[in-house]
Each structure stands twice: as structure tokens, then as C-alpha cells.
Amino acid sequence: MECVTVAGLADSWEKGELLDRRELEDARTHALSCPACRSRFGSLLELASRDSVDSRDVGGAGGAGGERATSSPAAEVLADRVMARLGADAMPDRRIVRRFRPGLRVLSAAAAALVVIASVGILVGRGGVDTTVVRFSLEAPEASSVLLAGNFSGWTSDGLNLERTGNGLWEIEIRLKRGRTYTYNFLVDGQSWVVDPSAADRIEDDFGGESALLRL
Amino acid sequence: MPPPVPDETELSNIHRVLAGDASAFRSVVLKYGDRVLSFCRSRAASEEEAEDLAQETFLRAFRSLGSYRLGTSFAAWLFAIAANRVRTRWARLSFDKRKKDRLKIEAGAARANDPEDEALRNLQAEAIRSAAAGLPADLRSAVELYYFAELSVAECAAVLGVGEEAVKSRLFRARKKLRIALESSNPNGSEGV
């Protein structure tokens, strides 16, 4: 392979064109014996070699991984250590019930524009010695349903349907204990989780998203 | 295009774990172990730390398996956990410690006793990680998920909470920056073209 071909491959990779795996391998072999190409393109070819066209749904960048036929020794060691730490009797936490759907987008751009105002955690009255009634509300004029889920409900939204009150506002009042910290989100139309835009604070959840925080 | 859903074997393993057969989780770790390790290395200061992060990711995934929604991409769900573990750990470390540890890795790679090509590969891998670390945050995340974790574009989109076109756009911009960084990093020799 000529040096100019290696440079051409680098150009193609940068543009996001699909690379031929064999041609890429030839380029890497060439770079091993050509100091100039190794110097300039060695690392780039290493990165580009992670692409494979047959195992990705990529438009543009090729594909890197896909399924591995065998596990590496490092993965075997990792599996041994994870299983040792888990123990034979370990069980997944049954308290967690579909808190977040991975891949869920926090509203599409069109829908996001609808959620412009929200008020949360308004204390509307004392519900007892240790409890208080909290009103949760969200403005989502075009939504067909809005549910509330939080750690106070085990992150299930059963029974916590917000009601449309006019002007695109959805509301629900629930009784919560004082002196506690709550996390919650809204579920719009059964598919889009929305972090309350007016929440005083937010925390990261374990799924790459955020939850609104309410301290009473 | 939606993220790929687990195949029957993987689904079967997940069901077995949920039913109380913890041993079935080993297959899950074996299937994703290399990719999770590769992803964790992108932000870890050492190989030991990368393995710690990978272990934490799988332990957290095991405990939270009940929150995985069947019919969606398991990889996207798993790497969302990994991303959070990495982010949490990264935030805890001081800048000085990261820098010190990073220098230690580079020095170790440079004087590796491995055959020459393996040492070269280590240096190239370090150059790639350094180049990715120099990217703006949004581009870096896309590169780490796509190239290190080997997720599909759809899975990256799921983890990042953006559309597939946004992921492709980030990867396109990232490749331009990565090429400049990698061609100038020169861990492979002293000569230029």
C-alpha cells in the first residue's frame, strides 16, 4: 500500500465514510513498516480500526463493536470478581420498579416548548401533625396524560394521575411526611420523563438522567 | 432506528437473574465486560480504577435489574449506569491526582516490557484517550460511548438522551478534532510525513 492511500483512508474516516476492513488492515500493516505513516496515522488507524461496517447501524461512521465471539481474559477476571462480590444468594433489588426507561428523551423539541412553566411543591395546607399536602403541577397543554412518580410512590406512577385544570395545567395534590427529602419526575403521555423545570434542586439518578428534589 | 434489543439468550439470562438465579449474571458480565472496561478506561486514572468502575457498574446493574425495561436496548441501559459511575468517580478525584496518575500511566506504557508492538499499541491507546479527553464535553461523551463502549448510534442516542442525528453530528465533528489531535500527538515515532 502507498502512503497516499493511507492518507486517503484517513480522509474517508474523517468524513464518516464506511471503511473496508481489509483495506484498513493493510494500512495498519503498512504503517508498522513506514515510520512516516506510523507517526502521522498510527493512532488514527487504531481508532478507525474499531469501526466495522457489518455490525453497526451507523450512517457515516462505520461500526466498531457488535458482539464478541469470545470474552477476553480481562472480562473473565472481571466476571469472577463481580460474581464473588455478588455471592450465590444475591437477588436484584425488588424495590426498584422501572424507574427510568433508558433511551428516554426528556421531551422532543416540539413538546419541550409546551412545558414552559411549572410550579412544584406548593404547600397548600397541613395534612396532620407530621404530614402536609403538596401540590405538584406541570404545564403541558398538548399532553394527553401526565403522571407523577417519585420515591414516595416507589417510582411507580399507579394512581398518581395529574388532572387537567385548564390553561394547559396539570395538577395533583398528595400528602407527604415532613422532614424528608423526596425525588420525583413527571411522565408525559406515558413515554417522556420530565424533570420539573422549576424544581429548586435536582440530583443525578443512576441512569444518566436527573430527578427533581423536594425537601419538606 | 431504535436501539437493538437483547437476543433470546440474553433475555433468558436476564429472566433467570430476576427469578433468583444469580449465576446467570456471569454471562451478562462476560458479554459486556470488555466494552465496559474499555469505556471505563476512557476516564479512569489507572487500570485498577477502570476495573473498580467496571465492577461497580455490573454490581449496580445487578441490583437495579428490575428497572430494566424488557424490549429496550440492554446495552444502552447498562452504559447509562456505567456513565454515571464514571462521572461520579471522576468528580470525586482532584485534578492533581488525576494528572499525577495519568503521568504514571504514560510512563508505565513507555517503558513497558511487552514486545514492541504491544508497547506501541499501549501508547496509541493512550494517545486516543488523551485526544478524546481534549474534546468538548458533548463530543467526548459521544466518542466514548461509540468508540470505547462500542455502542451503536441508536444506543448512544438512548444513553445521551438526544436524537440519532445529533449523535452522528457529534461524531462527525469529533472525528475532525480527533484527527488533528492524533496526527499531532505522535506517540508512534518521531518522523512526520
Side-chain angles (χ1 to χ4, degrees):
Chain A
M1 177 174 281
E2 301 289 326
C3 296
V4 67
T5 310
V6 179
L9 268 181
D11 290 342
S12 297
W13 176 78
E14 182 185 330
K15 291 174 189 166
E17 295 171 8
L18 298 178
L19 303 182
D20 180 89
R21 185 184 290 274
R22 177 171 290 184
E23 196 175 12
L24 192 60
E25 200 51 47
D26 289 345
R28 294 177 71 198
T29 304
H30 167 83
L32 284 175
S33 58
C34 172
C37 284
R38 189 173 69 233
S39 167
R40 184 175 171 189
F41 299 118
S43 299
L44 188 150
L45 292 173
E46 186 69 22
L47 183 62
S49 73
R50 299 180 186 188
D51 293 323
S52 77
V53 295
D54 55 353
S55 58
R56 289 277 190 90
D57 58 343
V58 187
E67 302 304 329
R68 292 171 187 271
T70 57
S71 303
S72 72
E76 297 276 355
V77 170
L78 176 65
D80 289 343
R81 291 178 178 167
V82 168
M83 298 311 294
R85 286 180 66 179
L86 279 177
D89 301 327
M91 284 284 288
D93 192 339
R94 298 211 176 272
R95 290 171 300 175
I96 300 171
V97 184
R98 291 182 184 173
R99 179 179 178 179
F100 272 90
R101 287 177 53 190
L104 211 55
R105 243 166 266 161
V106 181
L107 285 189
S108 65
L114 305 174
V115 186
V116 283
I117 313 169
S119 58
V120 68
I122 299 174
L123 302 177
V124 294
R126 293 183 67 84
V129 177
D130 297 321
T131 64
T132 190
V133 176
V134 180
R135 179 188 302 149
F136 293 84
S137 63
L138 180 77
E139 184 173 333
E142 301 203 1
S144 53
S145 72
V146 179
L147 304 177
L148 175 67
N151 59 352
F152 42 77
S153 65
W155 284 97
T156 64
S157 49
D158 297 341
L160 295 179
N161 292 279
L162 277 74
E163 291 185 5
R164 193 193 293 271
T165 60
N167 296 324
L169 209 59
W170 296 76
E171 290 185 347
I172 188 172
E173 291 182 1
I174 60 172
R175 190 182 304 274
L176 294 173
K177 288 187 178 177
R178 288 180 175 276
R180 296 194 178 183
T181 299
Y182 299 97
T183 55
Y184 68 96
N185 279 323
F186 296 110
L187 181 61
V188 177
D189 291 341
Q191 59 179 5
S192 297
W193 286 98
V194 177
V195 184
D196 193 320
S198 67
D201 204 357
R202 297 175 173 209
I203 59 165
E204 286 182 1
D205 60 34
D206 293 335
F207 300 86
E210 291 185 317
S211 301
L213 197 65
L214 173 65
R215 295 185 179 89
L216 291 181
Chain B
M1 181 183 294
V5 297
D7 58 31
E8 283 186 20
T9 305
E10 186 172 9
L11 271 180
S12 166
N13 285 327
I14 292 170
H15 281 301
R16 282 173 56 196
V17 174
L18 289 172
D21 180 5
S23 68
F25 196 66
R26 182 181 172 81
S27 298
V28 176
V29 182
L30 287 175
K31 179 171 182 178
Y32 291 100
D34 286 316
R35 291 165 63 185
V36 170
L37 279 168
S38 175
F39 177 76
C40 292
R41 283 188 192 110
S42 67
R43 300 270 179 138
S46 66
E47 185 63 25
E48 291 75 18
E49 187 180 9
E51 183 169 319
D52 283 349
L53 286 167
Q55 282 190 39
E56 285 176 24
T57 297
F58 282 111
L59 291 169
R60 182 65 66 114
F62 178 89
R63 285 198 297 270
S64 308
L65 199 59
S67 70
Y68 165 64
R69 191 181 175 92
L70 296 175
T72 61
S73 166
F74 184 79
W77 179 80
L78 180 66
F79 280 97
I81 295 175
N84 200 50
R85 292 293 92 202
V86 168
R87 191 164 49 225
T88 304
R89 177 73 69 93
W90 187 254
R92 262 190 254 136
L93 291 171
S94 71
F95 173 80
D96 285 345
K97 183 174 187 320
R98 289 203 302 267
K99 189 176 174 187
K100 195 171 145 193
D101 288 345
R102 180 63 70 186
L103 289 174
K104 220 171 7 181
I105 290 180
E106 288 170 0
R111 57 169 188 273
N113 294 321
D114 301 310
E116 188 180 350
D117 60 339
E118 190 170 340
L120 176 62
R121 198 168 294 121
N122 287 340
L123 288 168
Q124 288 174 337
E126 181 53 35
I128 292 168
R129 283 196 288 270
S130 294
L135 293 170
D138 58 337
L139 305 189
R140 180 180 182 179
S141 300
V143 164
E144 287 172 344
L145 291 170
Y146 185 80
Y147 284 103
F148 300 163
E150 301 180 7
L151 295 188
S152 68
V153 167
E155 288 169 332
C156 292
V159 174
L160 295 171
V162 300
E164 291 182 36
E165 288 307 316
V167 173
K168 290 176 186 174
S169 168
R170 290 180 190 185
L171 290 173
F172 183 78
R173 286 183 285 142
R175 278 193 297 273
K176 287 187 176 302
K177 291 179 181 292
L178 285 174
R179 181 172 182 180
I180 294 169
L182 290 173
E183 287 191 18
S184 61
S185 66
N186 191 17
N188 315 284
S190 56
E191 298 181 46
V193 172

